[in-house]
Amino acid sequence: MQVAPPPSRLLDHVLSSHQFGRSLLEAVFARARSLGGVRDRRLSGRIMATLFYEPSTRTRLSFESAMLRLGGAVIGTEAAREFSSVIKGETLEDTIRMVSAYADVIVLRHDQAGAAARAAAVSDVPVINAGDGPGEHPTQALLDLFTIENELGRIEGVDVVFCGDLRYGRTARSLVLLLSQFPGVRMSFVAPDVVQIGADIRALLDERGVPYRLNDSLHAVVPEADVIYQTRIQKERFGDPAEFARARGDTRIGAELMAMLPARSIVMHPLPRVDEIDPGVDDDPRAAYFRQARNGVVVRMALLEMLLA
Ligand code: CP
């Protein structure tokens, strides 16, 4: 299959969904579709470093797969707090200064919001935010939006129900920022108060005139939903077990809720899931979460190519 030449460089770093306006989103998605996972050598000789201070399956391995499919090479460390010189007390800034001497692009996952921006400030090479604590996960949001367009054939006018951990859930925060640019989009946030979507996101939606509802029950909103975006309650972000227990709420998706969901709607989840979607839902054609995760490879190929073009 012939792949069109790469676009000129449009990005210096990928730190936040705020960087992606409509025209850049269209460029990323068009490029992802045109690459289509085809392997070639266009990033031959380039090196990507993955630096992960928090665990990951999808983000790290799909970035690595994307780079290898483009002919590039991969170096890196998972569990960076234990397996790199961070354990000796090295700062994030010093680590990034060194890694940016060894690689052409750095993919960073960290447990603190703002870490990717700190890294970008001292890096000689592009930094990609692969999740910064409860802050943002912009590349996940890109693949999520790409999935919505692929599955429904549109983004404008969609009704999206977010549920689960919306307070610490960086994927939901980043996706809301992207969706808020599209006319006619409506959103519902279904979560117990303790993990409801942040005031900063609500203020942005108010400012942009995007309609949204807060709810604590899925039953009221599922019959009108085009997308249910389920998320995991992130036990690791709660210091207090009692607060974690309050956060669990009642937003599990199973046969009863699927019976209320319209036939052409979809269920998404950034994964990993624990028990918030019954495995019995997996065989339903509306369960889009594994297709969604697979889209991570082509979207990340497009991003790497844009950053390294
Ligand atoms: N969706 C996501 O970020 O998954 P991982 O934690 O496995 O990378």
Side-chain angles (χ1 to χ4, degrees):
M1 186 171 128
Q2 279 299 105
V3 175
S8 54
R9 186 160 169 181
L10 297 168
L11 287 165
D12 291 325
H13 301 278
V14 176
L15 304 178
S16 163
S17 284
H18 281 294
Q19 292 171 265
F20 291 86
R22 293 280 300 266
S23 61
L24 185 51
L25 287 171
E26 279 161 25
V28 173
F29 294 173
R31 194 65 194 152
R33 288 199 180 92
S34 125
L35 288 165
V38 172
R39 291 160 207 248
D40 70 20
R41 309 287 305 161
R42 66 189 54 222
L43 293 187
S44 175
R46 313 304 287 276
I47 298 172
M48 178 183 80
T50 51
L51 197 52
F52 276 58
Y53 290 64
E54 282 189 335
S56 167
T57 297
R58 278 145 291 273
T59 310
R60 187 171 66 83
L61 295 180
S62 64
F63 261 116
E64 294 187 359
S65 175
M67 190 62 174
L68 294 171
R69 283 165 197 250
L70 291 167
V74 175
I75 59 174
T77 176
E78 55 181 326
R81 285 199 187 286
E82 295 166 62
F83 298 143
S84 75
S85 286
V86 174
I87 200 164
K88 303 171 199 163
E90 187 164 58
T91 63
L92 174 66
E93 282 78 4
D94 282 358
T95 302
I96 293 293
R97 283 186 186 101
M98 292 319 310
V99 178
S100 75
Y102 308 145
D104 300 301
V105 59
I106 298 172
V107 181
L108 174 70
R109 172 167 288 187
H110 201 277
D111 54 355
Q112 292 170 9
R118 280 171 53 204
V122 297
S123 178
D124 295 328
V125 300
V127 172
I128 300 176
N129 181 1
D132 59 340
E136 277 210 54
H137 195 345
T139 68
Q140 177 72 42
L142 291 171
L143 76 90
D144 291 344
L145 197 66
F146 182 78
T147 300
I148 291 172
E149 192 171 61
N150 274 1
E151 295 278 334
L152 302 180
R154 67 193 162 94
I155 301 171
E156 292 187 4
V158 293
D159 187 308
V160 183
V161 173
F162 288 91
C163 51
D165 179 355
L166 308 181
R167 174 179 170 195
Y168 298 115
R170 57 197 176 198
T171 67
R173 291 171 57 81
S174 286
L175 180 56
V176 170
L177 295 178
L178 296 186
L179 282 168
S180 68
Q181 302 179 49
F182 290 81
V185 168
R186 297 175 306 282
M187 302 186 220
S188 300
F189 302 109
V190 180
D193 284 347
V194 68
V195 282
Q196 189 48 276
I197 196 84
D200 58 335
I201 297 288
R202 282 183 256 170
L204 182 134
L205 294 177
D206 289 337
E207 192 183 302
R208 293 185 178 174
V210 179
Y212 65 88
R213 296 181 280 188
L214 302 182
N215 216 311
D216 58 8
S217 162
L218 277 171
H219 289 78
V221 291
V222 162
E224 291 170 21
D226 297 306
V227 178
I228 303 179
Y229 190 94
Q230 177 66 288
T231 61
R232 177 178 66 95
I233 305 293
Q234 300 176 74
K235 193 172 187 179
E236 64 272 26
R237 309 247 182 253
F238 291 85
D240 175 3
E243 191 172 73
F244 172 64
R246 282 198 299 281
R248 297 196 72 185
D250 183 21
T251 57
R252 189 164 197 262
I253 296 172
E256 188 199 349
L257 277 165
M258 292 305 284
M260 298 168 67
L261 185 68
R264 298 176 69 85
S265 302
I266 55 170
V267 179
M268 297 176 62
H269 191 310
L271 303 177
R273 78 171 147 188
V274 183
D275 57 4
E276 60 277 0
I277 298 179
D278 186 317
V281 173
D282 296 356
D283 291 333
D284 189 308
R286 295 170 295 175
Y289 29 92
F290 294 119
R291 298 192 293 274
Q292 173 188 357
R294 279 196 288 273
N295 287 335
V297 174
V298 288
V299 169
R300 288 170 172 139
M301 285 172 79
L303 287 172
L304 286 170
E305 195 196 31
M306 284 181 172
L307 286 164
L308 295 173

